[in-house]
Amino acid sequence: MKAFRISGDAAEVDHATNVSISRKYPIEDEIKLLRRALVAVAKGEALPEEFVAYHDFVERVVDKRRQVKRLAKEDA
Amino acid sequence: MIVVYDKLTGAIKHTFDYEYSADGLELQEDEAALVTLVEHENAIGTLRVDLESKTLIAQSAVRFGVDKREITAGESIQLTLQHEGEQFGETFLLSVGEQLLEVPYSLASIQITFDLPGEYSIYVPDGRIFSMLVTVRVKEDVV
């Protein structure tokens, strides 16, 4: 069976990455989480759990979309 | 009714209902027009112009079947294809979201993998070919 892949170009992948992140973490939440992380670092405390979860999510999304870009490049 | 069509393909571009004279009608270089006394109304969407006889005839058709209408990014659907009527070359164009795929008429089914979340409309963007629009929803793969 012939197989097709629907990926979009690099700009579309980047846009989808932004949408995926902002859907779960609106910009106000991102700023709040980053501020709390900064305060924790300044005080020498452990990073807040919410920040770690946020950071982990962003990293996983970015990593997935890197794979999408790589696959699209290979298909081209 | 005046029917303005693509003079290379016979695909209907637009119509003027209850008008019966094409005199003075301004056409683009790739357009031609015919006049019919029949008011086809919405049914005009299932017709095309036969370029030899310059008459309205039924569009060809592609019928889709999908195994899934909702998947997760990175997954695939299987799209089955049934054809009716004239075929225009070896392949036809299939619109999937923003992308156009060139699909051989000879294939009874194809596999489409969606890498990004979103809603994707699938249809044939050719005015000579009738197709029902199918929508596939692709969910986030990272939660």
Side-chain angles (χ1 to χ4, degrees), chain B residues 29-98:
Chain B
E29 223 169 78
D30 60 341
E31 293 176 343
L34 65 80
V35 176
T36 172
L37 301 182
V38 181
E39 290 297 329
H40 291 278
E41 298 185 346
N42 289 341
I44 198 75
T46 63
L47 300 174
R48 64 187 173 98
V49 175
D50 175 61
L51 294 174
E52 276 186 29
S53 64
K54 302 283 191 290
T55 56
L56 293 167
I57 58 172
Q59 287 178 323
S60 298
V62 180
R63 185 166 181 257
F64 305 130
V66 280
D67 60 341
K68 285 168 269 181
R69 284 180 188 272
E70 187 169 295
I71 57 171
T72 301
E75 293 181 348
S76 307
I77 62 160
Q78 190 173 320
L79 186 76
T80 55
L81 304 156
Q82 280 180 283
H83 299 281
E84 182 181 278
E86 190 179 345
Q87 300 185 354
F88 308 100
E90 298 291 310
T91 60
F92 66 97
L93 287 179
L94 184 68
S95 177
V96 183
E98 301 292 313

Side-chain angles (χ1 to χ4, degrees), chain A residues 47-63:
Chain A
L47 289 168
E49 272 177 34
E50 305 96 313
F51 175 80
V52 174
Y54 153 77
H55 185 258
D56 174 61
F57 174 78
V58 172
E59 287 297 307
R60 283 186 294 130
V61 172
V62 169
D63 186 51

Side-chain angles (χ1 to χ4, degrees), chain A:
Chain A
M1 188 191 309
K2 191 170 170 65
F4 295 91
R5 179 173 290 281
I6 304 295
S7 293
D9 58 21
E12 285 166 324
V13 176
D14 289 343
H15 176 70
T17 303
N18 289 335
V19 170
S20 296
I21 294 169
S22 62
R23 196 172 281 155
K24 185 156 180 169
Y25 294 99
I27 189 72
E28 298 82 4
D29 289 359
E30 281 197 275
I31 292 169
K32 190 170 67 185
L33 289 164
L34 288 165
R35 199 173 56 234
R36 284 182 184 168
L38 270 177
V39 169
V41 169
K43 288 182 177 174
E45 295 171 354
L47 289 168
E49 272 177 34
E50 305 96 313
F51 175 80
V52 174
Y54 153 77
H55 185 258
D56 174 61
F57 174 78
V58 172
E59 287 297 307
R60 283 186 294 130
V61 172
V62 169
D63 186 51
K64 280 268 181 190
R65 301 297 152 73
R66 268 198 206 112
Q67 288 173 36
V68 169
K69 282 184 182 173
R70 201 188 64 235
L71 285 171
K73 213 178 237 177
E74 283 171 12
D75 279 1

